[in-house]
Amino acid sequence: MKSYLINIGFFLSFSLCSPLFASSSIDFDVVNGKVVFKIVLNDSIVNVMLDTGARMVIIDESLNHNYEVCGKVKSGGAAGVLGGIKNVVRFPFPIIGSSGVDTLEVRVDNLEGLSNFLGIRLDIIVGYDFLKNYILEIDYSTQKLHFCYRCWGLGSFIMPSYTPFELKGDKIMLTGIVNGQPVDNLLIDTGAGTCVISQELQQKLNLPIVEGYDVISVDASGVKTKTHFYQIDKIQLGNATFVDVKAIVLDLSEVNRISGFKRSAIIGHNLLKQCVVIIDYLNNRIAFKKSYSFEDE
């Protein structure tokens, strides 16, 4: 019996970028299915988690050095942090690949719980409010991130095969093909450790349980639930096809109700790590390229 603890929560060469664009390549680590990289902030090195499923940038309380408070926000416990009413401050965030900064409205929170889960000190979570100004490449095979800031002039010759996505709120939503059937509302979430299928979709596709696994899911609020892996024979996203994908099944009705839009499934790390992913936030399109032959673990 294998036991798992799961937190749900084509090469783009930036040498093609004009010098007018800020571009950079950064190494990252995969920590419990999360993409974590380092940046220099106020002469200190900080750990940053990349979360395409998050809206605001979240900074740990230790980084809040009397920045201007510009509002309050209700936190529902997203990204593994505690809920409640949190301060929003104006925070000078470095533009990656440049000496400039963007002043962003960020949420101040206590990231200790998520840090403990990951086993590292986590200082910042970056979501849509930061990523929306970039073309982003995540190369899981080499563990490198490539950022290109406001690269409006980069055309389809760099991304010859891409799929348009819809932003619902701040979430990247795709239509894909799952076991031969078209499925709308697939959420691309680098903050999810594994793929998640809604109960409704599992029943529609009649997905079988994978025997021999004892799975405990940990939701955004830290609540643990015993569940199962289910077998998906094939998922197609754009021109990329993924076979023998394991996913857990959860009731997503409440989170769908709160957010105001439907998630049929969440595409997480155990699928994304098989490929290079390019997210063009400037033009609402995404590309996947399988990077190597892969057997799901």
Side-chain angles (χ1 to χ4, degrees), residues 128-152:
Y128 174 75
D129 285 352
F130 168 77
L131 296 171
K132 65 184 179 182
N133 288 316
Y134 290 88
I135 294 177
L136 167 66
E137 176 187 288
I138 311 169
D139 187 338
Y140 284 92
S141 63
T142 62
Q143 294 194 186
K144 285 189 178 295
L145 296 170
H146 301 274
F147 292 88
C148 196
Y149 181 74
R150 293 183 177 173
C151 301
W152 298 101

PDB file of all heavy atoms in Angstrom, residues 128-152:
ATOM      1  N   TYR A 128      -2.078  36.082 -10.192  1.00  0.00           N
ATOM      2  CA  TYR A 128      -2.434  36.785 -11.428  1.00  0.00           C
ATOM      3  C   TYR A 128      -2.029  38.257 -11.441  1.00  0.00           C
ATOM      4  O   TYR A 128      -1.573  38.769 -12.470  1.00  0.00           O
ATOM      5  CB  TYR A 128      -3.939  36.656 -11.664  1.00  0.00           C
ATOM      6  CG  TYR A 128      -4.424  37.476 -12.837  1.00  0.00           C
ATOM      7  CD1 TYR A 128      -4.163  37.059 -14.141  1.00  0.00           C
ATOM      8  CD2 TYR A 128      -5.123  38.670 -12.643  1.00  0.00           C
ATOM      9  CE1 TYR A 128      -4.587  37.816 -15.224  1.00  0.00           C
ATOM     10  CE2 TYR A 128      -5.554  39.422 -13.715  1.00  0.00           C
ATOM     11  CZ  TYR A 128      -5.286  39.002 -15.008  1.00  0.00           C
ATOM     12  OH  TYR A 128      -5.696  39.754 -16.064  1.00  0.00           O
ATOM     13  N   ASP A 129      -2.193  38.955 -10.330  1.00  0.00           N
ATOM     14  CA  ASP A 129      -1.894  40.396 -10.316  1.00  0.00           C
ATOM     15  C   ASP A 129      -0.449  40.687 -10.701  1.00  0.00           C
ATOM     16  O   ASP A 129      -0.146  41.748 -11.240  1.00  0.00           O
ATOM     17  CB  ASP A 129      -2.192  40.994  -8.935  1.00  0.00           C
ATOM     18  CG  ASP A 129      -3.679  41.165  -8.688  1.00  0.00           C
ATOM     19  OD1 ASP A 129      -4.458  40.972  -9.636  1.00  0.00           O
ATOM     20  OD2 ASP A 129      -4.057  41.490  -7.543  1.00  0.00           O
ATOM     21  N   PHE A 130       0.451  39.748 -10.428  1.00  0.00           N
ATOM     22  CA  PHE A 130       1.847  39.882 -10.847  1.00  0.00           C
ATOM     23  C   PHE A 130       2.060  39.298 -12.242  1.00  0.00           C
ATOM     24  O   PHE A 130       2.682  39.915 -13.108  1.00  0.00           O
ATOM     25  CB  PHE A 130       2.751  39.165  -9.844  1.00  0.00           C
ATOM     26  CG  PHE A 130       4.171  38.987 -10.304  1.00  0.00           C
ATOM     27  CD1 PHE A 130       5.066  40.046 -10.285  1.00  0.00           C
ATOM     28  CD2 PHE A 130       4.606  37.760 -10.776  1.00  0.00           C
ATOM     29  CE1 PHE A 130       6.376  39.887 -10.717  1.00  0.00           C
ATOM     30  CE2 PHE A 130       5.914  37.580 -11.207  1.00  0.00           C
ATOM     31  CZ  PHE A 130       6.798  38.652 -11.181  1.00  0.00           C
ATOM     32  N   LEU A 131       1.515  38.123 -12.493  1.00  0.00           N
ATOM     33  CA  LEU A 131       1.810  37.388 -13.723  1.00  0.00           C
ATOM     34  C   LEU A 131       1.170  38.002 -14.960  1.00  0.00           C
ATOM     35  O   LEU A 131       1.631  37.761 -16.084  1.00  0.00           O
ATOM     36  CB  LEU A 131       1.331  35.940 -13.569  1.00  0.00           C
ATOM     37  CG  LEU A 131       2.028  35.118 -12.483  1.00  0.00           C
ATOM     38  CD1 LEU A 131       1.310  33.791 -12.281  1.00  0.00           C
ATOM     39  CD2 LEU A 131       3.487  34.892 -12.823  1.00  0.00           C
ATOM     40  N   LYS A 132       0.130  38.810 -14.798  1.00  0.00           N
ATOM     41  CA  LYS A 132      -0.623  39.314 -15.954  1.00  0.00           C
ATOM     42  C   LYS A 132       0.200  40.177 -16.893  1.00  0.00           C
ATOM     43  O   LYS A 132      -0.213  40.405 -18.041  1.00  0.00           O
ATOM     44  CB  LYS A 132      -1.847  40.096 -15.474  1.00  0.00           C
ATOM     45  CG  LYS A 132      -1.507  41.372 -14.706  1.00  0.00           C
ATOM     46  CD  LYS A 132      -2.761  42.043 -14.174  1.00  0.00           C
ATOM     47  CE  LYS A 132      -2.421  43.308 -13.381  1.00  0.00           C
ATOM     48  NZ  LYS A 132      -3.642  43.927 -12.813  1.00  0.00           N
ATOM     49  N   ASN A 133       1.356  40.654 -16.453  1.00  0.00           N
ATOM     50  CA  ASN A 133       2.207  41.492 -17.297  1.00  0.00           C
ATOM     51  C   ASN A 133       3.288  40.703 -18.035  1.00  0.00           C
ATOM     52  O   ASN A 133       4.143  41.302 -18.686  1.00  0.00           O
ATOM     53  CB  ASN A 133       2.881  42.575 -16.450  1.00  0.00           C
ATOM     54  CG  ASN A 133       1.911  43.644 -16.002  1.00  0.00           C
ATOM     55  OD1 ASN A 133       1.094  44.115 -16.773  1.00  0.00           O
ATOM     56  ND2 ASN A 133       1.981  44.004 -14.730  1.00  0.00           N
ATOM     57  N   TYR A 134       3.258  39.381 -17.959  1.00  0.00           N
ATOM     58  CA  TYR A 134       4.351  38.558 -18.481  1.00  0.00           C
ATOM     59  C   TYR A 134       3.869  37.531 -19.499  1.00  0.00           C
ATOM     60  O   TYR A 134       2.720  37.082 -19.468  1.00  0.00           O
ATOM     61  CB  TYR A 134       5.036  37.792 -17.345  1.00  0.00           C
ATOM     62  CG  TYR A 134       5.832  38.650 -16.397  1.00  0.00           C
ATOM     63  CD1 TYR A 134       5.242  39.240 -15.291  1.00  0.00           C
ATOM     64  CD2 TYR A 134       7.189  38.883 -16.609  1.00  0.00           C
ATOM     65  CE1 TYR A 134       5.967  40.035 -14.418  1.00  0.00           C
ATOM     66  CE2 TYR A 134       7.931  39.665 -15.741  1.00  0.00           C
ATOM     67  CZ  TYR A 134       7.312  40.234 -14.647  1.00  0.00           C
ATOM     68  OH  TYR A 134       8.038  41.027 -13.774  1.00  0.00           O
ATOM     69  N   ILE A 135       4.797  37.163 -20.391  1.00  0.00           N
ATOM     70  CA  ILE A 135       4.758  35.850 -21.024  1.00  0.00           C
ATOM     71  C   ILE A 135       5.664  34.971 -20.165  1.00  0.00           C
ATOM     72  O   ILE A 135       6.808  35.320 -19.905  1.00  0.00           O
ATOM     73  CB  ILE A 135       5.258  35.889 -22.475  1.00  0.00           C
ATOM     74  CG1 ILE A 135       4.311  36.721 -23.354  1.00  0.00           C
ATOM     75  CG2 ILE A 135       5.361  34.471 -23.025  1.00  0.00           C
ATOM     76  CD1 ILE A 135       4.780  36.850 -24.783  1.00  0.00           C
ATOM     77  N   LEU A 136       5.130  33.852 -19.735  1.00  0.00           N
ATOM     78  CA  LEU A 136       5.816  32.999 -18.771  1.00  0.00           C
ATOM     79  C   LEU A 136       6.018  31.612 -19.360  1.00  0.00           C
ATOM     80  O   LEU A 136       5.069  31.011 -19.879  1.00  0.00           O
ATOM     81  CB  LEU A 136       4.986  32.898 -17.491  1.00  0.00           C
ATOM     82  CG  LEU A 136       5.378  31.826 -16.473  1.00  0.00           C
ATOM     83  CD1 LEU A 136       6.747  32.134 -15.868  1.00  0.00           C
ATOM     84  CD2 LEU A 136       4.319  31.719 -15.385  1.00  0.00           C
ATOM     85  N   GLU A 137       7.239  31.112 -19.292  1.00  0.00           N
ATOM     86  CA  GLU A 137       7.517  29.722 -19.659  1.00  0.00           C
ATOM     87  C   GLU A 137       7.937  28.961 -18.402  1.00  0.00           C
ATOM     88  O   GLU A 137       8.804  29.412 -17.654  1.00  0.00           O
ATOM     89  CB  GLU A 137       8.631  29.635 -20.693  1.00  0.00           C
ATOM     90  CG  GLU A 137       9.027  28.190 -21.024  1.00  0.00           C
ATOM     91  CD  GLU A 137      10.243  28.118 -21.931  1.00  0.00           C
ATOM     92  OE1 GLU A 137      10.104  28.441 -23.116  1.00  0.00           O
ATOM     93  OE2 GLU A 137      11.328  27.778 -21.446  1.00  0.00           O
ATOM     94  N   ILE A 138       7.304  27.804 -18.189  1.00  0.00           N
ATOM     95  CA  ILE A 138       7.664  26.904 -17.093  1.00  0.00           C
ATOM     96  C   ILE A 138       8.194  25.626 -17.725  1.00  0.00           C
ATOM     97  O   ILE A 138       7.425  24.856 -18.317  1.00  0.00           O
ATOM     98  CB  ILE A 138       6.455  26.589 -16.197  1.00  0.00           C
ATOM     99  CG1 ILE A 138       5.714  27.861 -15.790  1.00  0.00           C
ATOM    100  CG2 ILE A 138       6.897  25.811 -14.959  1.00  0.00           C
ATOM    101  CD1 ILE A 138       4.373  27.610 -15.129  1.00  0.00           C
ATOM    102  N   ASP A 139       9.483  25.408 -17.619  1.00  0.00           N
ATOM    103  CA  ASP A 139      10.109  24.220 -18.197  1.00  0.00           C
ATOM    104  C   ASP A 139      10.406  23.252 -17.055  1.00  0.00           C
ATOM    105  O   ASP A 139      11.396  23.378 -16.330  1.00  0.00           O
ATOM    106  CB  ASP A 139      11.394  24.604 -18.937  1.00  0.00           C
ATOM    107  CG  ASP A 139      11.993  23.429 -19.716  1.00  0.00           C
ATOM    108  OD1 ASP A 139      11.690  22.275 -19.358  1.00  0.00           O
ATOM    109  OD2 ASP A 139      12.768  23.666 -20.655  1.00  0.00           O
ATOM    110  N   TYR A 140       9.523  22.290 -16.875  1.00  0.00           N
ATOM    111  CA  TYR A 140       9.654  21.372 -15.748  1.00  0.00           C
ATOM    112  C   TYR A 140      10.833  20.424 -15.916  1.00  0.00           C
ATOM    113  O   TYR A 140      11.376  19.932 -14.922  1.00  0.00           O
ATOM    114  CB  TYR A 140       8.357  20.579 -15.568  1.00  0.00           C
ATOM    115  CG  TYR A 140       7.231  21.371 -14.935  1.00  0.00           C
ATOM    116  CD1 TYR A 140       6.313  22.046 -15.729  1.00  0.00           C
ATOM    117  CD2 TYR A 140       7.088  21.451 -13.557  1.00  0.00           C
ATOM    118  CE1 TYR A 140       5.279  22.777 -15.159  1.00  0.00           C
ATOM    119  CE2 TYR A 140       6.063  22.171 -12.981  1.00  0.00           C
ATOM    120  CZ  TYR A 140       5.162  22.836 -13.787  1.00  0.00           C
ATOM    121  OH  TYR A 140       4.143  23.568 -13.220  1.00  0.00           O
ATOM    122  N   SER A 141      11.244  20.141 -17.153  1.00  0.00           N
ATOM    123  CA  SER A 141      12.335  19.189 -17.358  1.00  0.00           C
ATOM    124  C   SER A 141      13.673  19.776 -16.940  1.00  0.00           C
ATOM    125  O   SER A 141      14.531  19.077 -16.401  1.00  0.00           O
ATOM    126  CB  SER A 141      12.387  18.738 -18.816  1.00  0.00           C
ATOM    127  OG  SER A 141      12.658  19.824 -19.674  1.00  0.00           O
ATOM    128  N   THR A 142      13.878  21.080 -17.179  1.00  0.00           N
ATOM    129  CA  THR A 142      15.134  21.732 -16.787  1.00  0.00           C
ATOM    130  C   THR A 142      14.982  22.534 -15.506  1.00  0.00           C
ATOM    131  O   THR A 142      15.966  23.060 -14.990  1.00  0.00           O
ATOM    132  CB  THR A 142      15.628  22.669 -17.897  1.00  0.00           C
ATOM    133  OG1 THR A 142      14.657  23.710 -18.105  1.00  0.00           O
ATOM    134  CG2 THR A 142      15.843  21.908 -19.196  1.00  0.00           C
ATOM    135  N   GLN A 143      13.738  22.638 -15.001  1.00  0.00           N
ATOM    136  CA  GLN A 143      13.417  23.431 -13.810  1.00  0.00           C
ATOM    137  C   GLN A 143      13.902  24.881 -13.962  1.00  0.00           C
ATOM    138  O   GLN A 143      14.611  25.417 -13.118  1.00  0.00           O
ATOM    139  CB  GLN A 143      13.954  22.770 -12.544  1.00  0.00           C
ATOM    140  CG  GLN A 143      13.262  21.450 -12.251  1.00  0.00           C
ATOM    141  CD  GLN A 143      13.493  20.900 -10.856  1.00  0.00           C
ATOM    142  OE1 GLN A 143      13.080  19.794 -10.551  1.00  0.00           O
ATOM    143  NE2 GLN A 143      14.146  21.650  -9.985  1.00  0.00           N
ATOM    144  N   LYS A 144      13.458  25.465 -15.070  1.00  0.00           N
ATOM    145  CA  LYS A 144      13.746  26.872 -15.326  1.00  0.00           C
ATOM    146  C   LYS A 144      12.453  27.608 -15.654  1.00  0.00           C
ATOM    147  O   LYS A 144      11.579  27.087 -16.356  1.00  0.00           O
ATOM    148  CB  LYS A 144      14.736  27.041 -16.484  1.00  0.00           C
ATOM    149  CG  LYS A 144      16.177  26.691 -16.113  1.00  0.00           C
ATOM    150  CD  LYS A 144      17.149  27.080 -17.206  1.00  0.00           C
ATOM    151  CE  LYS A 144      18.590  26.757 -16.804  1.00  0.00           C
ATOM    152  NZ  LYS A 144      19.028  27.570 -15.647  1.00  0.00           N
ATOM    153  N   LEU A 145      12.368  28.828 -15.124  1.00  0.00           N
ATOM    154  CA  LEU A 145      11.307  29.763 -15.480  1.00  0.00           C
ATOM    155  C   LEU A 145      11.891  30.823 -16.397  1.00  0.00           C
ATOM    156  O   LEU A 145      13.002  31.302 -16.175  1.00  0.00           O
ATOM    157  CB  LEU A 145      10.745  30.451 -14.229  1.00  0.00           C
ATOM    158  CG  LEU A 145      10.050  29.591 -13.192  1.00  0.00           C
ATOM    159  CD1 LEU A 145       9.793  30.405 -11.925  1.00  0.00           C
ATOM    160  CD2 LEU A 145       8.747  29.031 -13.732  1.00  0.00           C
ATOM    161  N   HIS A 146      11.131  31.184 -17.421  1.00  0.00           N
ATOM    162  CA  HIS A 146      11.519  32.283 -18.294  1.00  0.00           C
ATOM    163  C   HIS A 146      10.406  33.324 -18.251  1.00  0.00           C
ATOM    164  O   HIS A 146       9.245  33.010 -18.514  1.00  0.00           O
ATOM    165  CB  HIS A 146      11.734  31.799 -19.732  1.00  0.00           C
ATOM    166  CG  HIS A 146      12.789  30.748 -19.855  1.00  0.00           C
ATOM    167  ND1 HIS A 146      14.119  31.034 -19.993  1.00  0.00           N
ATOM    168  CD2 HIS A 146      12.695  29.399 -19.838  1.00  0.00           C
ATOM    169  CE1 HIS A 146      14.812  29.909 -20.072  1.00  0.00           C
ATOM    170  NE2 HIS A 146      13.969  28.906 -19.964  1.00  0.00           N
ATOM    171  N   PHE A 147      10.765  34.540 -17.905  1.00  0.00           N
ATOM    172  CA  PHE A 147       9.807  35.639 -17.833  1.00  0.00           C
ATOM    173  C   PHE A 147      10.130  36.657 -18.925  1.00  0.00           C
ATOM    174  O   PHE A 147      11.287  37.003 -19.132  1.00  0.00           O
ATOM    175  CB  PHE A 147       9.900  36.364 -16.490  1.00  0.00           C
ATOM    176  CG  PHE A 147       9.442  35.562 -15.296  1.00  0.00           C
ATOM    177  CD1 PHE A 147      10.320  34.748 -14.613  1.00  0.00           C
ATOM    178  CD2 PHE A 147       8.132  35.652 -14.845  1.00  0.00           C
ATOM    179  CE1 PHE A 147       9.917  34.026 -13.504  1.00  0.00           C
ATOM    180  CE2 PHE A 147       7.719  34.937 -13.728  1.00  0.00           C
ATOM    181  CZ  PHE A 147       8.613  34.122 -13.063  1.00  0.00           C
ATOM    182  N   CYS A 148       9.124  37.141 -19.600  1.00  0.00           N
ATOM    183  CA  CYS A 148       9.297  38.263 -20.518  1.00  0.00           C
ATOM    184  C   CYS A 148       8.220  39.295 -20.187  1.00  0.00           C
ATOM    185  O   CYS A 148       7.018  39.020 -20.294  1.00  0.00           O
ATOM    186  CB  CYS A 148       9.207  37.818 -21.967  1.00  0.00           C
ATOM    187  SG  CYS A 148       9.858  39.037 -23.131  1.00  0.00           S
ATOM    188  N   TYR A 149       8.657  40.466 -19.755  1.00  0.00           N
ATOM    189  CA  TYR A 149       7.761  41.492 -19.206  1.00  0.00           C
ATOM    190  C   TYR A 149       7.203  42.373 -20.321  1.00  0.00           C
ATOM    191  O   TYR A 149       7.946  43.000 -21.070  1.00  0.00           O
ATOM    192  CB  TYR A 149       8.542  42.335 -18.204  1.00  0.00           C
ATOM    193  CG  TYR A 149       7.754  43.437 -17.527  1.00  0.00           C
ATOM    194  CD1 TYR A 149       6.823  43.143 -16.540  1.00  0.00           C
ATOM    195  CD2 TYR A 149       7.954  44.776 -17.872  1.00  0.00           C
ATOM    196  CE1 TYR A 149       6.117  44.142 -15.901  1.00  0.00           C
ATOM    197  CE2 TYR A 149       7.256  45.789 -17.227  1.00  0.00           C
ATOM    198  CZ  TYR A 149       6.335  45.469 -16.250  1.00  0.00           C
ATOM    199  OH  TYR A 149       5.640  46.470 -15.624  1.00  0.00           O
ATOM    200  N   ARG A 150       5.870  42.384 -20.425  1.00  0.00           N
ATOM    201  CA  ARG A 150       5.167  43.239 -21.384  1.00  0.00           C
ATOM    202  C   ARG A 150       5.696  43.065 -22.801  1.00  0.00           C
ATOM    203  O   ARG A 150       5.979  44.036 -23.506  1.00  0.00           O
ATOM    204  CB  ARG A 150       5.217  44.695 -20.943  1.00  0.00           C
ATOM    205  CG  ARG A 150       4.428  44.934 -19.656  1.00  0.00           C
ATOM    206  CD  ARG A 150       4.392  46.372 -19.216  1.00  0.00           C
ATOM    207  NE  ARG A 150       3.556  46.515 -18.031  1.00  0.00           N
ATOM    208  CZ  ARG A 150       3.430  47.648 -17.331  1.00  0.00           C
ATOM    209  NH1 ARG A 150       4.092  48.722 -17.713  1.00  0.00           N
ATOM    210  NH2 ARG A 150       2.655  47.691 -16.272  1.00  0.00           N
ATOM    211  N   CYS A 151       5.815  41.825 -23.226  1.00  0.00           N
ATOM    212  CA  CYS A 151       6.341  41.509 -24.564  1.00  0.00           C
ATOM    213  C   CYS A 151       5.207  41.531 -25.579  1.00  0.00           C
ATOM    214  O   CYS A 151       4.884  40.527 -26.209  1.00  0.00           O
ATOM    215  CB  CYS A 151       7.025  40.144 -24.553  1.00  0.00           C
ATOM    216  SG  CYS A 151       8.378  40.037 -23.379  1.00  0.00           S
ATOM    217  N   TRP A 152       4.605  42.677 -25.744  1.00  0.00           N
ATOM    218  CA  TRP A 152       3.432  42.793 -26.614  1.00  0.00           C
ATOM    219  C   TRP A 152       3.761  42.441 -28.059  1.00  0.00           C
ATOM    220  O   TRP A 152       2.921  41.963 -28.794  1.00  0.00           O
ATOM    221  CB  TRP A 152       2.879  44.220 -26.561  1.00  0.00           C
ATOM    222  CG  TRP A 152       2.418  44.625 -25.210  1.00  0.00           C
ATOM    223  CD1 TRP A 152       3.086  45.401 -24.313  1.00  0.00           C
ATOM    224  CD2 TRP A 152       1.195  44.256 -24.571  1.00  0.00           C
ATOM    225  NE1 TRP A 152       2.352  45.539 -23.159  1.00  0.00           N
ATOM    226  CE2 TRP A 152       1.189  44.860 -23.288  1.00  0.00           C
ATOM    227  CE3 TRP A 152       0.098  43.484 -24.959  1.00  0.00           C
ATOM    228  CZ2 TRP A 152       0.132  44.719 -22.404  1.00  0.00           C
ATOM    229  CZ3 TRP A 152      -0.950  43.342 -24.075  1.00  0.00           C
ATOM    230  CH2 TRP A 152      -0.928  43.954 -22.809  1.00  0.00           C
TER     231      TRP A 152
END
